[in-house]
């Protein structure tokens, strides 16, 4: 907006009822038409509003013959209202301009305050909060409510509603950061209530509540949002909600109560278990029997002892040294300091316990489950004042039992000081005891963070590892963690032989399993990210277990050898230390080769299912499975590559062609290019399809010339229609990038013959035809493709092509509609690449129709997206479109540099017909040194931010 010195001051306020002030005094502007003219001129923010646009807005159905004269009369009267500031309302050759400075229009003032607050929030949260409070106060009520029947004004009202949401969100965020969350609780609650399905508002309300000490209410809000979102939309919340809930839970515990005399006090400090201890106290107040369950070495005994210490009246029964179930009553008597010479020992213990309140802790129950069950049953029925806290590697199986599973210690988050993570703090505490010295350096802290991460945050493993620092350096210790089961032993004196080495700890649990359960455990260990229920049961069936597969799986969960997760789909995972033990046992049993072959077969079958399902309406399901199983597919890929299994590797890569084409899972593209470089591929019968997939990967890397070379080489080797079709597909998009439109059509139509009309080939031909200047023929080709499309991605592709055709034809409204449909469908299917390219088209249309602020913000996001994925072919297209917009805004210098850089870039696609002036501009800018790509991206970002502030 131009800044002028035009006294006397004028102010127009639109963030509420329309209000005009001249020299500080309010001026009444009567009549809806005149008020609408004033609003339209103000909303233009210093730009000319044409007479035609004003007339169309005032009389949208039919302009009366006197319409233009009536408009001139309204303008004349507005100048009268402006009085001494009448010169502010300027007549131009085709319309009118109301000259206002930024602080003379409340909405421009709000935008500027928001932009300034965002840039200062990190270094000065209190200052940002003050700016945002001022911005939020600019809203005085419903925005232009009496003028909402005027279409351009109604559109602006929606835009300002979004601006208010942004200001409110930033205000709440800044208040929490500045330690003033109490002041904005009401605002945060109102913002969330206004749109209960808007996740950012919900998350901010949760943060504000947690910051004011209302963690339970904060978590309730999160649960209610999750439930409402699923019920009303069928969608799951983003990962941000899970992360925030974990953060709130981790910081929800208050200070520890004083510890009265009771069980023997542990000699070491407890790290990172405050919330679990508090939760167990709450459980014991409501439940008679609570069992703390988890794998060996996770710290069950230490946590339970802390609970017993804080309970005041607790008896601790340690069963680790007890091997005979009949000895349990005698061990209980000893724990109670009872000397019983004759009679029923258990009855005597029960008589002493009576109905007095207290806690009985029974530790290490897993090897005496039957005897413990009998003892606990008697105590529950005979001692109503006693609550029992037991620890075990599996539940007792009693009806009254409440099972609480103990997780590993939290690992350091990427944005966290590692020393503040409980797992790192435990390591440092134990390390100081064996090697006193100065505090660790930042580099050493990173090494410790890596060590505890590789040990799964398991307290026993961490303590044993820290103990090894008496003879090893930190770097030596980290370098030997692949032998952690044997390395982490002998360094910790313990009366309990099970805890002297990590291997012994796991071996204890392993030996309590049946042979079928051990075998299933061993073969599950090859999956680094666990398996779903179907895979686990199928694996159990393939192993030919004598017992029921479901029962064996359940027993492994109960015994804490695997963990069951029920978020989304049921998933069974192992801690890495347990998985390493399982892999060792697999090799010792001579089963490693069979397990590897079985996993490779699983990967081939899964990718084949994904390939087939992605061509159907169930594509979103296949996308979810692919993303969920990616860690296991990664492990399978490394296995088949390390063993030279070319057939399996080729099958996986070819099946992932659709994924490589439409999903920005970059490592899958790397697999394709890696396999294409394998010397053994030359004679393989499926070499053509592999080279095509690698060509598609090269195209998305921005190297369409390499894509062309790989596809042509693949076409020569293709031995089936799939290989030929894939090669022709890659050739067609490479041709499109270099502007060879006749070749595009030829290759695309040939691919259609092989693959059928339901694929994207007709759409690619339609794009080339439209770019060549024949929109009618392009529509015909695209409609043929859309008629056969089934999967959401193919429907999205057809919508995107339709948007491109209409955009080239100058039909902005239908183009925008098609682009939006393409984006929605692509998001549904997980086709992130299509979201990107359709968004570029959408932004181009919005820029051409004057929606500059939306377009600039969108370009900022899309440029980051393509830069993150390294796709410079489409990044150049985006930058060229941005250059067009910058030039229209008068920002010529960065526009010229972008065009010049694109003109010299070998991976930039040919400029299309709609940008015919570019070559001349690029030549004109050629004398200027071309910046590096990093510098060019920074130049584009700065230009966007500069023009966003202006707009």
């Amino acid at each position: 907006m131009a800044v002028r010195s035009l006294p006397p001051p004028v102010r127009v306020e639109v963030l509420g009822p329309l209000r005009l002030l001249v020299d500080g005094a309010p001026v009444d502007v009567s009549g809806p038409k005149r008020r609408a003219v004033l609003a339209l001129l103000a909303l233009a923010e210093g730009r000319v509003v044409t007479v035609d646009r004003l007339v169309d807005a005032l009389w949208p159905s039919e302009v009366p013959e006197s319409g233009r004269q009536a408009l001139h009369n309204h303008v004349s009267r507005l100048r009268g209202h402006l009085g001494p500031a009448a010169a502010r309302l300027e007549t131009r050759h085709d319309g009118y301009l109301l000259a206002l400075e930024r602080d003379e229009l409340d909405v421009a003032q709000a935008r500027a305050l928001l932009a300034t607050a965002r840039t200062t929030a990190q270094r000065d949260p209190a200052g940002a909060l003050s700016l945002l409070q001022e911005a939020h106060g600019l809203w005085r009520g419903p925005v232009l409510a009496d003028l909402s029947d005027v279409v351009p004004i109604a559109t602006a009202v929606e835009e300002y509603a979004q601006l208010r949401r942004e200001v409110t969100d930033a205000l709440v965020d800044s208040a929490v950061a500045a330690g003033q969350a109490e002041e904005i609780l009401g605002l945060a609650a109102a913002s969330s209530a206004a749109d209960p399905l808007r996740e950012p508002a919900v998350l901010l309300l949760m943060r504000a509540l947690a910051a004011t000490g209302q963690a339970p209410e904060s978590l309730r809000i999160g649960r209610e949002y999750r439930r409402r979102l699923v019920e009303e939309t069928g969608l799951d919340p983003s990962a941000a909600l899970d992360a925030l809930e974990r953060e709130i839970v981790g910081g929800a515990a208050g200070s520890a109560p004083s510890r009265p005399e009771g069980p023997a006090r542990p000699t070491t400090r407890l790290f990172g278990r405050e919330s679990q201890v508090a939760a167990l106290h709450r459980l014991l107040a409501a439940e008679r029997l609570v069992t703390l369950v988890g794998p060996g070495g996770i710290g069950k005994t230490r946590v339970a002892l802390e609970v017993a210490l804080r309970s005041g009246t607790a008896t601790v029964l340690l069963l680790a040294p007890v091997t005979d179930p009949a000895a349990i009553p005698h061990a209980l008597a000893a724990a109670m300091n009872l000397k019983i010479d004759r009679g029923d020992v258990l009855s005597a213990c029960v008589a002493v316990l009576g109905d007095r309140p207290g806690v009985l802790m029974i530790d290490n129950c897993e090897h005496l489950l039957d005897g413990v069950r009998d003892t606990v049953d008697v105590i529950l029925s005979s001692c109503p004042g006693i609550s029992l806290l037991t620890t075990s590697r599996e539940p007792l199986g009693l009806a009254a039992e409440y099972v609480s599973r103990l997780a590993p210690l939290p690992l350091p988050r990427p944005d966290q000081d590692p020393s503040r993570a409980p797992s790192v703090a435990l390591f440092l505490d134990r390390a100081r005891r064996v090697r006193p010295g100065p505090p660790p350096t930042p580099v050493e802290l990173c090494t410790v963070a890596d060590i505890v991460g590789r040990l799964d945050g398991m307290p026993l493993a961490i303590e044993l590892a820290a103990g090894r620092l008496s003879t090893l350096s930190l770097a030596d210790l980290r370098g030997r963690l692949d032998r952690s089961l044997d390395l982490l032993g002998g360094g910790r004196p313990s009366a309990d032989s099970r805890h002297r080495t990590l291997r012994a700890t796991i071996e204890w649990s392993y030996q309590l399993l049946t042979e079928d359960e051990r075998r299933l455990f061993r073969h599950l260990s090859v999956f680094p990210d666990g398996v779903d229920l179907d895979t686990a049961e199928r694996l159990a069936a393939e192993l030919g277990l004598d017992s029921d597969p479901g029962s064996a799986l359940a027993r492994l969960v109960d015994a804490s050898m695997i963990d069951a997760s029920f978020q989304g789909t049921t998933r069974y995972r192992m801690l890495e230390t347990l998985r390493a033990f399982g892999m060792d046992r697999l090799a010792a049993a001579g089963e490693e080769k069979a397990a590897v072959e079985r996993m490779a077969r699983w990967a081939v079958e899964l990718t084949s299912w994904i390939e087939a399902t992605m061509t159907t309406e169930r594509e979103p399901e296949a996308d979810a499975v692919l993303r969920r199983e990616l860690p296991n597919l990664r492990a399978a890929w490394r296995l088949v590559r390390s063993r030279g299994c070319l057939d399996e590797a080729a099958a996986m890569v070819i099946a992932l062609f659709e994924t490589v084409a439409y999903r920005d899972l970059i490592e899958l593209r790397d697999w394709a290019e890696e396999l294409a470089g394998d010397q053994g591929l030359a004679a393989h019968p499926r070499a053509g399809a592999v080279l095509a997939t690698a060509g598609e990967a090269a195209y998305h890397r921005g190297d369409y010339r390499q894509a062309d070379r790989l596809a042509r080489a693949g076409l020569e080797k293709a031995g089936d229609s799939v290989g030929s079709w894939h090669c022709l597909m890659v050739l067609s998009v490479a041709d499109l990038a270099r502007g060879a439109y006749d070749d595009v059509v030829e290759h695309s139509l040939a691919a259609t013959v092989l693959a059928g009309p339901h694929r994207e080939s007709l759409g690619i031909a339609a794009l080339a035809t439209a770019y060549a200047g024949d929109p009618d023929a392009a529509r015909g080709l695209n409609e043929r493709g859309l008629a056969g499309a089934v999967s959401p991605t193919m429907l999205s592709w057809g919508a995107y092509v339709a948007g491109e055709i209409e955009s080239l034809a100058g039909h902005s409204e239908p183009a925008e509609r098609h682009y939006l449909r393409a984006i929605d469908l692509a998001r549904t299917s997980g086709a992130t690449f299509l979201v990107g390219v359709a968004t570029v088209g959408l932004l181009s249309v919005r820029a051409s129709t004057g929606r500059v602020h939306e377009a600039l913000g969108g370009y900022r996001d899309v440029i980051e997206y393509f830069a993150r994925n390294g796709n410079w072919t489409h990044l150049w297209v985006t930058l060229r479109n941005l250059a067009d917009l910058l030039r229209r805004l008068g920002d010529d210098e960065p526009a010229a540099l972008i065009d010049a850089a694109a003109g010299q870039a070998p991976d930039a696609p040919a400029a299309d017909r709609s940008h015919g002036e570019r070559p001349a501009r690029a030549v004109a800018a050629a004398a200027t040194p071309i910046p590096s790509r990093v510098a060019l991206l920074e130049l584009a970002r700065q230009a966007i931010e500069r023009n966003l502030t202006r707009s």
Side-chain angles (χ1 to χ4, degrees):
M1 184 186 306
V3 179
R4 301 176 175 84
S5 178
L6 296 171
V10 172
R11 182 173 176 83
V12 181
E13 296 177 350
V14 296
L15 299 179
L18 181 65
R19 187 179 181 195
L20 172 65
L21 297 98
V22 178
D23 206 9
V27 176
D28 180 40
V29 179
S30 59
K33 289 283 193 283
R34 194 176 312 154
R35 290 169 62 79
V37 172
L38 175 59
L40 290 166
L41 292 171
L43 297 181
E45 300 186 36
R47 295 186 294 274
V48 173
V49 184
T50 65
V51 170
D52 288 342
R53 188 177 178 194
L54 288 167
V55 168
D56 289 342
L58 294 176
W59 295 281
S61 299
E62 183 178 354
V63 180
E65 291 184 6
S66 60
R68 289 179 176 268
Q69 183 58 48
L71 171 63
H72 295 318
N73 291 341
H74 286 307
V75 171
S76 176
R77 290 183 179 275
L78 281 176
R79 288 197 175 104
H81 290 310
L82 289 167
R88 296 288 196 106
L89 210 172
E90 303 173 9
T91 300
R92 298 296 177 91
H93 72 280
D94 60 345
Y96 301 98
L97 180 149
L98 180 59
L100 295 172
E101 296 191 33
R102 180 178 299 158
D103 61 354
E104 292 180 330
L105 180 64
D106 55 357
V107 68
Q109 188 180 0
R111 282 203 200 96
L113 288 166
L114 175 60
T116 304
R118 282 173 168 166
T119 60
T120 61
Q122 288 191 339
R123 65 176 183 272
D124 183 12
L129 175 61
S130 177
L131 294 172
L132 291 164
Q133 287 171 329
E134 181 183 351
H136 194 269
L138 292 173
W139 272 266
R140 299 171 291 107
V143 175
L144 305 178
D146 62 327
L147 301 174
S148 59
D149 57 337
V150 180
V151 174
I153 294 177
T155 301
V157 168
E158 289 300 317
E159 180 185 342
Y160 298 160
Q162 175 59 29
L163 176 62
R164 187 178 191 185
R165 285 190 288 269
E166 292 179 19
V167 170
T168 302
D169 288 353
L171 173 57
V172 174
D173 193 32
S174 292
V176 172
Q180 300 182 45
E182 191 77 38
E183 297 180 11
I184 49 77
L185 267 181
L187 177 63
S191 176
S192 177
D195 188 353
L197 296 182
R198 192 169 72 89
E199 186 168 298
V202 175
L203 297 182
L204 286 167
L205 174 57
M206 292 174 66
R207 288 190 181 279
L209 287 167
T212 55
Q214 302 179 63
E217 176 63 12
S218 174
L219 294 172
R220 186 195 66 78
I221 293 290
R223 289 193 300 272
E224 176 63 21
Y225 167 70
R226 191 187 301 275
R227 180 194 60 77
R228 184 185 298 115
L229 188 66
V230 170
E231 288 181 355
E232 296 187 21
T233 71
L235 301 175
D236 291 325
S238 75
L241 178 60
D242 291 333
L244 179 57
E245 287 173 331
R246 288 193 298 272
E247 180 183 329
I248 292 170
V249 170
S255 58
S258 60
R259 301 181 181 182
E261 293 300 321
R265 187 178 301 274
T267 58
T268 55
R269 178 184 165 194
L270 182 65
F271 288 88
R273 296 300 196 190
E274 289 79 7
S275 61
Q276 289 93 336
V277 170
L280 286 168
H281 271 292
R282 291 193 295 270
L283 279 173
L284 287 169
E287 302 286 344
R288 293 287 314 283
L289 171 61
V290 177
T291 298
L292 189 58
V293 173
I298 205 162
K300 301 182 296 296
T301 300
R302 184 65 181 82
V303 170
L305 280 173
E306 193 73 18
V307 174
L309 275 168
R310 299 184 188 185
S311 67
T313 55
T315 300
V316 175
L317 170 57
L318 303 176
L319 293 182
V322 179
T323 58
D324 182 0
I328 294 175
H330 298 276
L332 175 59
M336 296 173 64
N337 292 319
L338 298 178
K339 184 177 180 182
I340 303 170
D341 296 326
R342 58 183 178 272
D344 189 320
V345 177
L346 182 57
S347 296
C349 294
V350 167
V352 173
L353 291 170
D355 58 0
R356 291 179 299 173
V359 173
L360 172 60
M361 171 191 157
I362 307 178
D363 186 45
N364 298 122
C365 301
E366 61 273 354
H367 62 301
L368 298 169
L369 283 177
D370 290 339
V372 172
R373 272 194 290 264
D374 293 341
T375 302
V376 167
D377 202 28
V378 170
I379 294 173
L380 286 174
S381 60
S382 305
C383 307
I386 293 294
S387 297
L388 289 106
L389 174 61
T390 65
T391 74
S392 178
R393 299 187 188 185
E394 60 182 292
L396 305 185
L398 289 170
E401 182 180 32
Y402 186 102
V403 177
S404 176
R405 292 194 174 270
L406 189 62
L409 288 174
L411 301 173
R413 300 188 304 272
D415 60 343
Q416 181 185 30
D417 174 4
S419 64
R420 299 182 66 85
S423 52
V424 173
L426 173 62
F427 184 97
L428 296 176
D429 179 78
R430 302 303 186 260
R432 279 191 291 267
R433 298 172 190 272
V434 298
R435 187 192 288 179
T441 65
V443 172
E444 289 172 331
L445 278 177
C446 290
T447 302
V448 173
D450 183 44
I451 289 171
V452 300
R454 291 169 64 182
L455 295 175
D456 299 315
M458 291 279 283
L460 173 62
I462 291 171
E463 292 189 25
L464 293 172
R468 280 299 182 186
L469 291 181
S470 60
T471 55
L472 297 174
S473 70
L474 264 178
D476 291 337
L477 176 61
R478 179 172 62 178
R480 287 161 175 77
L481 280 183
D482 58 341
R483 306 196 298 274
S484 61
L485 292 174
D486 299 307
L487 175 71
L488 304 184
R492 166 180 168 165
S494 172
D496 186 353
S497 61
R498 301 169 308 147
H499 288 172
R500 288 180 184 159
T501 70
L502 188 56
R503 182 182 295 279
T505 299
I506 302 172
E507 181 74 30
W508 170 272
S509 296
Y510 183 74
Q511 291 302 327
L512 293 174
L513 303 174
T514 67
E515 181 50 43
D516 271 358
E517 292 158 359
R518 293 175 199 163
R519 192 170 178 220
L520 180 57
F521 170 78
R522 294 194 298 266
H523 284 263
L524 284 171
S525 69
V526 300
F527 292 89
D529 197 42
V531 295
D532 58 19
L533 178 59
D534 288 343
T535 301
E537 290 185 331
R538 186 165 65 250
L539 175 61
E542 288 179 6
L543 291 172
L545 304 184
D546 293 331
S547 57
D548 172 62
S551 299
L553 191 62
R555 176 81 168 87
L556 290 176
V557 173
D558 287 342
S560 302
M561 298 298 282
I562 62 175
D563 180 57
S565 169
F566 303 102
Q567 296 180 350
T569 60
T570 305
R571 193 103 184 145
Y572 300 94
R573 291 185 176 89
M574 289 182 192
L575 293 173
E576 192 57 32
T577 46
L578 291 167
R579 201 172 79 82
F581 178 87
M583 294 290 285
D584 279 359
R585 283 294 185 171
L586 197 67
E591 298 170 333
E592 186 176 19
K593 183 174 182 293
V596 168
E597 290 173 351
R598 188 174 288 108
M599 188 181 196
R601 188 164 61 250
W602 166 86
V604 170
E605 291 173 356
L606 179 68
T607 51
S608 177
W609 176 86
I610 289 170
E611 177 187 32
T613 309
M614 277 191 173
T615 63
T616 71
E617 65 278 357
R618 293 173 59 198
E619 182 187 13
E621 177 187 346
D623 180 81
V625 170
L626 169 67
R627 294 174 190 277
R628 186 170 64 242
E629 296 294 349
L630 192 53
N632 288 332
L633 287 172
R634 183 184 301 123
W637 174 255
R638 295 270 64 94
L639 282 173
V640 300
R641 294 296 290 145
S642 64
R643 285 164 171 76
C645 305
L646 204 57
D647 290 345
E648 288 80 0
M652 288 176 66
V653 160
I654 295 167
L656 293 171
F657 182 86
E658 179 97 358
T659 298
V660 168
Y662 291 108
R663 287 157 178 83
D664 294 307
L665 299 172
I666 296 174
E667 67 176 305
L668 302 188
R669 294 173 181 165
D670 292 342
W671 296 357
E673 294 196 84
E674 174 191 329
L675 188 59
D678 191 315
Q679 293 182 350
L681 183 69
H684 195 275
R686 305 197 72 187
V690 171
L691 291 172
T693 309
E696 185 71 20
Y699 171 78
H700 286 279
R701 189 167 37 79
D703 192 347
Y704 62 84
R705 291 178 173 83
Q706 172 68 354
D708 185 272
R709 286 191 291 270
L710 286 167
R712 292 185 185 280
L715 200 57
E716 293 178 2
K717 293 179 177 292
D720 56 22
S721 60
V722 171
S724 299
W725 163 51
H726 285 176
C727 291
L728 289 167
M729 283 278 296
V730 177
L731 283 174
S732 64
V733 293
D735 293 338
L736 196 64
R738 61 188 178 86
Y741 302 130
D742 290 342
D743 292 344
V744 175
V745 174
E746 177 186 347
H747 290 138
S748 297
L749 294 182
T752 302
V753 173
L754 294 172
H758 65 288
R759 296 297 310 185
E760 57 272 80
S761 302
L762 286 171
I764 297 173
L767 277 181
T769 305
Y771 293 161
D774 191 347
D776 290 335
R779 289 189 189 95
L781 286 167
N782 192 47
E783 286 166 6
R784 283 173 55 198
L786 268 172
V790 177
S791 69
T793 289
M794 290 301 98
L795 291 169
S796 171
W797 171 252
Y800 162 68
V801 173
E804 287 285 281
I805 295 169
E806 299 308 324
S807 177
L808 289 166
H811 304 151
S812 58
E813 186 176 340
E816 179 169 0
R817 191 166 59 250
H818 288 309
Y819 284 136
L820 287 171
R821 174 167 167 74
I823 292 168
D824 287 344
L825 285 165
R827 283 179 174 155
T828 297
S829 68
T832 47
F833 168 71
L834 265 182
V835 173
V837 294
T839 301
V840 173
L842 175 65
L843 297 176
S844 178
V845 168
R846 286 180 172 172
S848 70
T849 55
R851 292 148 74 180
V852 173
H853 196 270
E854 291 179 55
L856 286 169
Y859 279 131
R860 176 178 55 196
D861 296 339
V862 176
I863 285 171
E864 295 304 325
Y865 163 74
F866 282 129
R868 197 164 54 244
N869 293 316
N871 190 333
W872 273 90
T873 297
H874 288 90
L875 188 50
W876 285 123
V877 174
T878 308
L879 289 169
R880 280 170 166 164
N881 288 351
L882 171 64
D884 278 351
L885 177 55
L886 293 176
R887 194 172 289 106
R888 290 202 298 272
L889 294 174
D891 203 352
D892 292 333
E893 184 178 348
L897 282 171
I898 290 170
D899 278 342
Q904 295 186 22
D907 49 358
D912 61 51
R913 307 97 351 259
S914 61
H915 306 297
E917 298 180 14
R918 279 201 178 119
R921 291 195 179 104
V923 170
T928 304
I930 302 300
S932 68
R933 296 193 177 198
V934 172
L936 188 71
L937 288 177
E938 186 57 31
L939 176 80
R941 294 184 187 106
Q942 291 174 2
I944 289 171
E945 294 302 327
R946 182 169 59 251
N947 285 279
L948 275 172
T949 303
R950 290 175 180 171
S951 68

